[in-house]
Amino acid sequence: MKNRARIIFMAVLIFLLCGMGLLSILFPNEELPPLPTRQPDFEIKLMNPSCVAFSPDGKQIAIGHMDGWDLFDFNTREMVDKHRWKESYVSQISFSPDGRRLLTSRDDENIILWDIETKKELFRLDKIGFCTSIGFSLDGSKIVAAVGQRVPTPGYAAIWDIKTGKSESVFRTSCNRAVYAPDQKSVVLTHVNQVERWGIDIEDKVKDIAVFKQGIVASGFSVDGKQMLAALFNAPAKLIDIESGSILKEFKNTKGWLKFAGLSQNSSFALVGDSGGIPMKASKADILDKIPFSEVVYPRRCKGGLYVYSTASGEGIVRLAGYDMWYSFALSADRSMAAGVTQGSVCFWDISNIVDDTVADSE
């Protein structure tokens, strides 16, 4: 019996080792050489920050946290205003195009539009679902949001009129990002593994822009809205032409919990934000559904930060860091500054002075 058990044990062990070897061939875990690290240019210390946004003119910074939101002067870095309430924490925050209003979403499935000067609610959308993206139309008269799927409630995207607070268009499809297209007559929706354009008036899909085998966990658009950077689950990030759907460039990003994707002012740089954690209790479906950061257990840490890549060569240039664990990232309206939220601090980097050395090296 002992010999038989030993033979069975050895057979199972050999089978597992062979299986692991085959997986390593089919799905190689390529370790990229570490990028040079750049420390923040300055920080704003704050208890329990969760998200950050730049005003359109770049003069103010809004920071959401456990107790509400604060406004800071960008030049002096001093707090100029604050608003507190005893409700759940702010998970996302965004300025209106005129900089006079603030849009926040919270983990209790609400969206609130604030008047910054009076700190009063202009309107509130209650129990609409956990928002995975919020934003404004170009003229600031509409709000667009993507609402994540929660069983048994399906995900969707919608547009609300600011004056009436009523929904004007509802897109009945699960998505994790919704933004206005440059023509303002359609919206671009980022789904689990594809990018689509939907008509605002007809509330129906106009075209498939791109489809991937891997899930899209974060996305960001160029200033003119003609290109999109998609950060994928356990795969290289991709730069996509919105009109044709063609892949313009691939970037070998990190294998952590990706939280952000964005492009610089002239789209010469791609920025991929890595939280610095590897999820243990989260499945792939959880990751694609963007479960809250606090609900994930991280058994080990990788080097998180904002990874900057050249869109010309596809090579990594620098890692904007200073800390290892990050909650969220943001870019200023003119794309000259980047911000990252970590425990007890919001860090800022000037990205206008980044030089693409990879192009010169490759020539």
Side-chain angles (χ1 to χ4, degrees):
M1 289 294 293
K2 291 184 178 180
N3 291 335
R4 184 179 179 183
R6 188 178 294 111
I7 293 173
I8 293 175
F9 174 77
M10 293 300 297
V12 171
L13 181 60
I14 293 172
F15 175 79
L16 291 175
L17 292 174
C18 291
M20 293 174 61
L22 180 60
L23 287 175
S24 65
I25 295 173
L26 295 177
F27 305 100
N29 184 19
E30 182 180 2
E31 293 294 336
L32 302 178
L35 296 179
T37 302
R38 189 172 128 190
Q39 300 298 312
D41 293 305
F42 67 90
E43 300 181 38
I44 293 178
K45 299 291 185 179
L46 190 69
M47 286 292 293
N48 299 316
S50 55
C51 53
V52 60
F54 295 86
S55 64
D57 60 9
K59 294 181 179 180
Q60 288 187 319
I61 304 163
I63 300 176
H65 48 79
M66 294 290 292
D67 305 315
W69 49 264
D70 298 330
L71 287 179
F72 289 81
D73 182 275
F74 178 81
N75 292 321
T76 65
R77 299 151 203 173
E78 297 292 331
M79 184 186 295
V80 296
D81 205 351
K82 64 181 180 180
H83 183 66
R84 299 287 187 269
W85 73 85
K86 295 181 179 180
E87 297 184 48
S88 57
Y89 78 97
V90 176
S91 57
Q92 295 185 81
I93 193 165
S94 176
F95 279 94
S96 63
D98 61 8
R100 297 168 59 186
R101 290 158 295 182
L102 206 59
L103 190 65
T104 64
S105 68
R106 307 203 317 268
D107 65 341
D108 59 357
E109 304 182 347
N110 291 355
I111 291 180
I112 302 177
L113 182 66
W114 304 90
D115 182 283
I116 292 178
E117 184 176 356
T118 65
K119 295 189 288 295
K120 292 183 178 180
E121 293 183 18
L122 299 179
F123 74 80
R124 174 191 291 236
L125 303 171
D126 286 317
K127 302 301 178 182
I128 62 172
F130 181 76
C131 289
T132 53
S133 80
I134 56 174
F136 290 89
S137 61
L138 191 61
D139 61 3
S141 65
K142 316 285 183 186
I143 287 173
V144 60
V147 180
Q149 181 175 350
R150 285 292 185 271
V151 176
T153 305
Y156 66 95
I159 295 173
W160 290 269
D161 183 87
I162 285 181
K163 290 184 178 179
T164 65
K166 296 181 179 180
S167 61
E168 291 193 342
S169 301
V170 180
F171 311 97
R172 304 291 181 182
T173 180
S174 181
C175 58
N176 54 31
R177 184 81 189 275
V179 297
Y180 273 92
D183 60 7
Q184 300 289 293
K185 297 179 181 179
S186 60
V187 292
V188 177
L189 305 182
T190 303
H191 290 250
V192 170
N193 64 342
Q194 62 191 35
V195 184
E196 299 173 350
R197 188 190 296 273
W198 287 61
I200 290 177
D201 295 331
I202 60 176
E203 299 180 11
D204 202 0
K205 183 167 64 174
V206 176
K207 64 176 292 188
D208 288 325
I209 296 175
V211 179
F212 304 103
K213 293 181 179 180
Q214 304 87 359
I216 303 172
V217 293
S219 60
F221 293 80
S222 60
V223 174
D224 59 12
K226 295 181 179 180
Q227 296 178 349
M228 187 189 89
L229 178 66
L232 304 179
F233 175 75
N234 202 32
K238 292 176 173 56
L239 182 63
I240 306 165
D241 181 86
I242 292 295
E243 189 61 34
S244 65
S246 59
I247 307 300
L248 303 177
K249 190 69 66 174
E250 289 191 352
F251 312 94
K252 295 179 179 179
N253 51 35
T254 59
K255 304 297 183 182
W257 180 279
L258 302 184
K259 306 284 290 186
F260 178 82
L263 292 163
S264 63
Q265 173 66 31
N266 57 3
S267 296
S268 58
F269 302 110
L271 300 100
V272 178
D274 190 327
S275 71
I278 306 295
M280 181 175 66
K281 291 187 177 180
S283 65
K284 181 177 179 181
D286 291 329
I287 294 171
L288 301 181
D289 201 28
K290 288 182 174 293
I291 65 175
F293 186 91
S294 58
E295 295 181 11
V296 182
V297 175
Y298 298 86
R300 66 184 179 89
R301 297 182 177 182
C302 59
K303 291 184 177 180
L306 204 53
Y307 286 74
V308 183
Y309 298 87
S310 165
T311 55
S313 66
E315 298 297 322
I317 299 174
V318 66
R319 178 173 69 96
L320 306 177
Y323 297 88
D324 287 335
M325 300 294 288
W326 301 89
Y327 298 154
S328 62
F329 300 92
L331 294 178
S332 61
D334 63 2
R335 313 288 177 98
S336 64
M337 295 293 299
V341 180
T342 187
Q343 181 64 41
S345 179
V346 182
C347 301
F348 298 85
W349 303 270
D350 184 351
I351 60 174
S352 64
N353 55 14
I354 294 178
V355 178
D356 185 2
D357 295 327
T358 64
V359 175
D361 294 340
S362 61
E363 291 179 350

